[in-house]
Amino acid sequence: MTEQGKNASQTVDPVTLEIVRNLLIALLDEGEINLSRTAFSPIVYEVKDYCIGLLDRKGRTIAQSRGGIPTFMADLGEPVRDGIAIYGEDGFSPGDMLIINYAAVCGQHLSNVVLYTPIHWEGKLIAFAATRAHWTDIGGQVSGSFSTKTTEIFQEGLQIRSVKIHKKGVPDEEIMRLIRHNIRYPDLSFGDMAAQVAACQLCARRFGDLLRKYSWPVVEGCIERIWDQSEAMVRQQIAALPNGRYEAESFLDDDGIDPDHTLPIKVAVTIRDDELEIDFTGISEQTRGPLNSGRSGGLAAARVAFKSAIAPRLPPNEGAFRPLKVVLPEGTLISAVDNAAMSFWNLALKTVIDTIYLALSQAMPDRVPAGHHAAQGLYTFYGREAVSGFRYSTLDTTLGGWGAQPDSDGFSPLKTTTHGDTRNIPIEVEETFYPLQVERYEWRPDSAGAGEFRGGLGLRKIYRVLQDTSFVAAFERTKCPPWGLFGGKAAQVGCALIRQPGETEARRYYKVTSLPLKAGAIVELLSAGGGGRNPPTTRPAERVLEDVRQGYVSIDGARSDYGVIIDPRTLEVDAKATAALRGKLQDQARAAAAEPDPVS
């Protein structure tokens, strides 16, 4: 921070501070709206698979928009800092626009492409406006750049490291030509690139308007004050928690290559007064398959879990993360090196975040939910349109249940903790642009983990394929279901069920790449629910009855999971039979809890 900024930070008045605080977020919200309205791909303009942020000249987060993907934003400074290291702070000119998806820096699959532009004041670099968006394709083995079988990053597409695609406002046509001829859908991706460029330029202009009104020293002082206030608020929240070391473990199904090799997730959270440390020592080593992420991916997971648990309503900025320390050894599943495959990087991070929550539940049981569906449930249909011959590729993820909260049922249906405000592609768009017909889209009864507060529900979505096509899917947490807390039950897991024409039985898939589907094939996507909280027999019988009437719980599920007997003819609770069954189930639970653990 400059000396002028330090002086302004000490003297800025509260009214100006609040105006600047809100304008910093508002100008990024405007950039986000512009991006979603001008992008070409449904994954951007419908799903909102992007983020927009404002960073200072050292790549520290000033502010971010209120939509988009948390794990995109949490490490957005890393690609910007890479450009600073390559060009130096004096190596940027007004009108420059840089692009990067280089895995060793960004730590994500190559389809997540960052564009950013420098912002100058009186001839000096002061900030960057940046966006990250998911491109429909970036080359690689498989359309859409998704494969569960890649073993190194070079198989997954084109890597670009901190290159100026605009120099002083002039596009570099040679670089553009190189990118265009290495991707399958250049019109879509270049349309999305243009939308990202426009969003960065809009945010830079709006920031310039703010500077012209208040001057850079005043705005810089406001930013420093905002960081300090955020840090103080977060430290206050941490200080209210009991000191200690809290550990948790879970695991991932496999790496896509070896279906019998599970990947351990080990996390330790240490609270020391007003600081919090997340230690990933002991997490799985990086794997041969594509579930790896780079170090920035691990840092993003830690930041998302930390921020959402400690200060969920505080607008994120650099100051909010000063009390967080992350211990992350090199060469792990979330700090992979040496050109590790990362096509499905995001599958692992959801469970990493859930496991951090599980550790935190010991320190803050009144604030942490049970495990959520965390499966990603990513799926892609791709091929060539039968009449025109044009390539098509659709990409989406399933919606599922979130874990039960301390005082209420889990939300449903939602994306995962890493998805933020993203949405599904509307059925009307899918059926208009792709050879697909959606035949059913409905609740999945009994998918939620039972408890006094049950988890959120998963969904069932059934497609009929209208022409020969290819299919990719990736479901996680099928061996480690979304867990319950404090006596709550785990949820059902997700999968894809596929029945080809002429087949009478559907085949079950969890991870599959380039599966040929014949016209008329039926693809049934089942998403997981969220875990329950507290023993199911403590849920009031009338609430179980209402769940049955709403179609969330079956009559058999009410009996087996909750101990509630419901007459199928009248849909009324048999109070006497219910009391007897619940008493029996509670006796069994007490007896099981009293048994000593077996000693090997």
Side-chain angles (χ1 to χ4, degrees):
M1 185 176 184
T2 65
E3 196 62 37
Q4 285 180 315
K6 290 179 181 179
N7 294 334
S9 175
Q10 297 169 4
T11 59
V12 63
D13 68 273
V15 174
T16 300
L17 177 64
E18 290 308 308
I19 292 172
V20 171
R21 187 197 308 272
N22 287 279
L23 282 177
L24 288 171
I25 298 171
L27 68 89
L28 294 168
D29 285 346
E30 184 180 0
E32 178 184 313
I33 293 169
N34 193 71
L35 173 59
S36 64
R37 291 181 64 183
T38 58
F40 278 39
S41 303
I43 192 67
V44 181
Y45 68 75
E46 291 287 0
V47 176
K48 299 187 179 297
D49 201 339
Y50 55 66
C51 74
I52 299 184
L54 189 66
L55 305 106
D56 77 350
R57 67 181 185 278
K58 296 186 183 298
R60 297 174 297 186
T61 303
I62 296 172
Q64 69 179 66
S65 66
R66 284 175 286 192
I69 303 230
T71 45
F72 275 19
M73 186 65 229
D75 67 339
L76 192 58
E78 295 298 317
V80 172
R81 280 188 284 272
D82 185 67
I84 297 169
I86 290 174
Y87 292 98
E89 290 189 20
D90 296 330
F92 299 97
S93 300
D96 286 353
M97 186 69 62
L98 291 90
I99 185 171
I100 178 174
N101 71 341
Y102 185 54
V105 172
C106 296
Q108 306 184 4
H109 63 205
L110 301 180
S111 293
N112 294 341
V113 180
V114 175
L115 271 73
Y116 61 97
T117 189
I119 301 173
H120 293 80
W121 173 261
E122 296 181 348
K124 293 183 179 180
L125 176 71
I126 59 169
F128 295 89
T131 73
R132 177 183 261 139
H134 184 121
W135 286 17
T136 301
D137 186 78
I138 197 69
Q141 287 183 345
V142 177
S143 178
S145 309
F146 283 110
S147 171
T148 61
K149 299 299 182 183
T150 55
T151 56
E152 58 179 354
I153 197 68
F154 303 114
Q155 298 168 330
E156 297 180 359
L158 178 67
Q159 291 195 81
I160 310 165
R161 182 174 184 181
S162 297
V163 172
K164 293 183 179 181
I165 55 171
H166 290 194
K167 297 175 180 175
K168 298 181 180 180
V170 179
D172 188 319
E173 295 300 335
E174 292 183 341
I175 294 176
M176 296 290 196
R177 189 162 62 248
L178 185 151
I179 297 172
R180 176 176 289 275
H181 292 287
N182 277 279
I183 57 180
R184 292 178 177 85
Y185 312 102
D187 291 343
L188 287 177
S189 294
F190 270 65
D192 295 337
M193 179 200 292
Q196 287 181 264
V197 168
C200 286
Q201 292 173 337
L202 175 60
C203 292
R205 288 199 306 272
R206 294 291 183 261
F207 191 59
D209 295 341
L210 182 64
L211 299 179
R212 281 185 287 275
K213 183 172 184 178
Y214 292 103
S215 82
W216 169 237
V218 171
V219 172
E220 185 184 22
C222 290
I223 292 168
E224 190 65 30
R225 180 73 69 84
I226 291 166
W227 285 352
D228 289 344
Q229 289 178 343
S230 298
E231 178 185 2
M233 186 270 190
V234 171
R235 288 189 183 278
Q236 183 181 44
Q237 294 295 311
I238 298 171
L241 302 175
N243 282 349
R245 179 179 171 89
Y246 308 96
E247 299 180 358
E249 296 185 21
S250 64
F251 61 90
L252 299 172
D253 296 345
D254 58 70
D255 67 352
I257 303 294
D258 181 357
D260 298 320
H261 177 54
T262 58
L263 308 175
I265 306 295
K266 297 183 179 181
V267 172
V269 175
T270 300
I271 298 172
R272 300 186 191 93
D273 301 326
D274 62 353
E275 294 187 347
L276 188 146
E277 175 187 278
I278 297 176
D279 187 351
F280 291 115
T281 302
I283 199 169
S284 172
E285 295 181 356
Q286 70 184 66
T287 185
R288 201 159 64 96
L291 269 70
N292 302 291
S293 60
R295 180 175 179 81
S296 63
L299 295 176
R303 281 190 160 197
V304 169
F306 170 77
K307 172 69 175 59
S308 57
I310 301 300
R313 292 177 177 82
L314 178 70
N317 56 60
E318 201 68 28
F321 298 109
R322 288 173 179 167
L324 172 66
K325 179 183 178 182
V326 180
V327 178
L328 179 55
E330 189 177 80
T332 74
L333 182 70
I334 55 174
S335 59
V337 295
D338 297 331
N339 302 305
M342 297 185 186
S343 180
F344 283 102
W345 72 289
N346 209 6
L347 264 68
L349 296 192
K350 304 167 196 334
T351 297
V352 171
I353 292 170
D354 245 14
T355 310
I356 297 172
Y357 290 155
L358 184 59
L360 283 169
S361 69
Q362 302 166 58
M364 42 197 305
D366 58 336
R367 290 165 62 180
V368 175
H372 82 306
H373 66 103
Q376 180 87 340
L378 179 145
Y379 60 95
T380 295
F381 297 92
Y382 69 91
R384 288 185 179 272
E385 206 279 328
V387 177
S388 66
F390 286 122
R391 292 180 183 270
Y392 65 86
S393 178
T394 180
L395 167 67
D396 213 339
T397 63
T398 57
L399 301 173
W402 280 34
Q405 301 175 90
D407 57 359
S408 61
D409 295 341
F411 295 111
S412 57
L414 294 173
K415 297 272 191 176
T416 71
T417 51
T418 67
H419 276 100
D421 292 336
T422 56
R423 305 179 300 194
N424 267 49
I425 297 176
I427 290 172
E428 295 82 359
V429 173
E430 292 183 296
E431 294 185 336
T432 298
F433 290 115
Y434 311 113
L436 303 169
Q437 179 177 304
V438 179
E439 300 202 333
R440 302 187 75 172
Y441 202 10
E442 59 193 7
W443 294 114
R444 186 184 175 197
D446 298 329
S447 58
E452 177 187 6
F453 302 110
R454 61 163 173 75
L457 273 76
L459 296 177
R460 173 185 288 108
K461 190 174 188 179
I462 300 178
Y463 289 93
R464 181 180 295 274
V465 177
L466 302 182
Q467 68 168 58
D468 292 0
T469 190
S470 295
F471 181 68
V472 175
F475 284 82
E476 251 301 329
R477 292 280 289 278
T478 65
K479 300 175 185 176
C480 179
W483 49 75
L485 285 180
F486 311 116
K489 289 190 175 183
Q492 291 186 17
V493 302
C495 68
L497 300 174
I498 297 178
R499 181 164 54 86
Q500 299 276 20
E503 294 180 345
T504 57
E505 295 291 332
R507 300 185 186 184
R508 185 181 300 267
Y509 295 90
Y510 298 113
K511 293 186 178 77
V512 63
T513 298
S514 300
L515 179 70
L517 300 178
K518 296 293 186 180
I522 300 297
V523 177
E524 182 176 355
L525 301 171
L526 302 177
S527 65
R533 185 184 179 97
N534 303 335
T537 52
T538 62
R539 186 174 180 86
E542 58 269 19
R543 295 195 65 186
V544 178
L545 176 62
E546 182 62 22
D547 284 342
V548 171
R549 289 174 170 171
Q550 293 292 338
Y552 303 154
V553 175
S554 68
I555 290 178
D556 288 342
R559 180 190 184 96
S560 60
D561 291 337
Y562 294 93
V564 175
I565 309 298
I566 297 175
D567 188 320
R569 295 167 301 175
T570 63
L571 285 186
E572 296 293 343
V573 174
D574 185 329
K576 184 175 180 180
T578 293
L581 179 56
R582 284 193 153 185
K584 181 180 178 181
L585 293 175
Q586 289 165 356
D587 289 342
Q588 292 173 349
R590 281 191 289 268
E595 290 181 1
D597 293 333
V599 178
S600 57

